[in-house]
Amino acid sequence: MAFETITVETRGHVGLITLDRPEALNALNKQLVGELATAIQRFEDDPAVGAMVLTGSEKAFAAGADIKEMAEKTYPTAMIEDFIAHDWEAVGKARKPVIAAVSGYALGGGCEIAMSCDIILASETARFGLPEITLGVIPGAGGTQRLVRAVGKAKAMEMILSGRFMNAEEAERAGLVSRIIPAGELVDEAVKVGEKIADMSLPAVMLAKSCVDRAFETTLAEGMTFERAVFYSLFATEDQKEGMAAFVEKRQARFRDR
């Protein structure tokens, strides 16, 4: 399948996906979201890939969902099509880690896709926002749920009810963004982070990711029980034996993902 709205490449053990609708500031139409889901699945299925990076252009990560596609929808058509589910959930459901490298606008659906990633690295030009309220609707791809978990109720409520944007510095202070990277170095740094993750044991990485995700979805007691079960299970892997042996022998571990 040839992609028309994204570009895809592999750098070492990292899959790099670039949103590529420059004429629409990478607005997320049905085709783009479908191609993104396909690319995510291909990297999920590729044993040589241990992590993914998702980025856009310097001007816009993604300026939102494509309003032209939504403007004429009715409640019955929106509900029956379930048009903002399925492919929209591909990033958040990925088992391998996904790093968002955000420059410029990450608005509406673009902000929601970024928040679906496991780590957000941003350049100093990044702007995050959920301005759906200005269109007479609300975020529909997880915005009201993920933003409040990332930055707390007060900031999330203000942004969602007023449509206010958050710049990169505020996003980092609030905990939405992991780090701010100079724009010219952003993608390379994101790939470096991906490579570092890909060097680890893939079973351990995937299970660690699932444990962190579980922390947002359950009580502390239930999360601790889940974490402990996962911790014990990793002693059944060859990578645990290799990792601990390498530490004792003062050498670099050579993980084999089993």
Side-chain angles (χ1 to χ4, degrees):
M1 173 183 175
F3 296 119
E4 297 179 354
T5 62
I6 63 173
T7 62
V8 176
E9 61 181 288
T10 303
R11 295 191 186 179
H13 296 289
V14 178
L16 174 61
I17 303 169
T18 303
L19 308 182
D20 190 27
R21 288 189 73 206
E23 75 287 352
L25 295 179
N26 293 332
L28 302 164
N29 64 1
K30 183 176 181 179
Q31 181 182 5
L32 188 154
V33 174
E35 291 184 356
L36 174 60
T38 298
I40 290 283
Q41 190 59 55
R42 287 186 184 180
F43 285 137
E44 287 272 85
D45 294 340
D46 187 343
V49 170
M52 292 170 259
V53 170
L54 176 60
T55 193
S57 67
E58 289 194 11
K59 191 171 183 179
F61 175 78
D66 194 321
I67 306 304
K68 293 179 181 179
E69 280 192 348
M70 294 192 293
E72 300 303 318
K73 288 188 182 296
T74 64
Y75 171 61
T77 59
M79 180 183 64
I80 292 168
E81 292 174 15
D82 203 10
F83 77 98
I84 206 162
H86 305 304
D87 288 345
W88 279 84
E89 298 173 355
V91 175
K93 288 184 175 180
R95 299 179 69 204
K96 295 177 181 178
V98 184
I99 303 163
V102 178
S103 280
Y105 295 113
L107 306 179
C111 185
E112 290 172 306
I113 290 288
M115 290 192 294
S116 298
C117 297
D118 301 294
I119 300 169
I120 301 178
L121 300 180
S123 78
E124 63 275 11
T125 68
R127 297 291 183 273
F128 299 89
L130 295 171
E132 286 89 344
I133 200 75
T134 67
L135 302 173
V137 293
I138 68 168
T144 64
Q145 305 303 299
R146 288 193 171 97
L147 187 62
V148 71
R149 285 166 167 78
V151 305
K153 180 181 176 180
K155 280 188 180 293
M157 194 70 84
E158 182 193 8
M159 291 176 68
I160 290 165
L161 297 186
S162 73
R164 182 178 75 84
F165 295 175
M166 180 184 286
N167 65 23
E169 285 188 10
E170 184 181 2
E172 184 185 32
R173 290 196 306 269
L176 180 63
V177 164
S178 175
R179 282 188 288 142
I180 299 175
I181 311 294
E185 304 170 17
L186 178 64
V187 173
D188 287 343
E189 180 62 22
V191 170
K192 284 181 184 177
V193 174
E195 280 284 13
K196 188 166 187 178
I197 293 170
D199 283 343
M200 307 301 173
S201 164
L202 183 59
V205 165
M206 293 170 75
L207 287 169
K209 169 178 154 71
S210 68
C211 284
V212 175
D213 286 340
R214 182 64 65 97
F216 285 94
E217 299 166 357
T218 189
T219 65
L220 176 60
E222 290 170 337
M224 291 289 290
T225 299
F226 181 79
E227 178 191 79
R228 191 166 295 116
V230 168
F231 173 70
Y232 293 155
S233 75
L234 285 166
F235 283 82
T237 66
E238 292 181 18
D239 284 346
Q240 174 267 328
K241 304 297 184 292
E242 166 61 15
M244 293 190 178
F247 179 84
V248 171
E249 296 165 12
K250 296 181 171 59
R251 60 175 175 80
Q252 185 72 33
R254 295 181 292 274
F255 294 121
R256 302 177 68 182
D257 298 336
R258 60 191 189 190

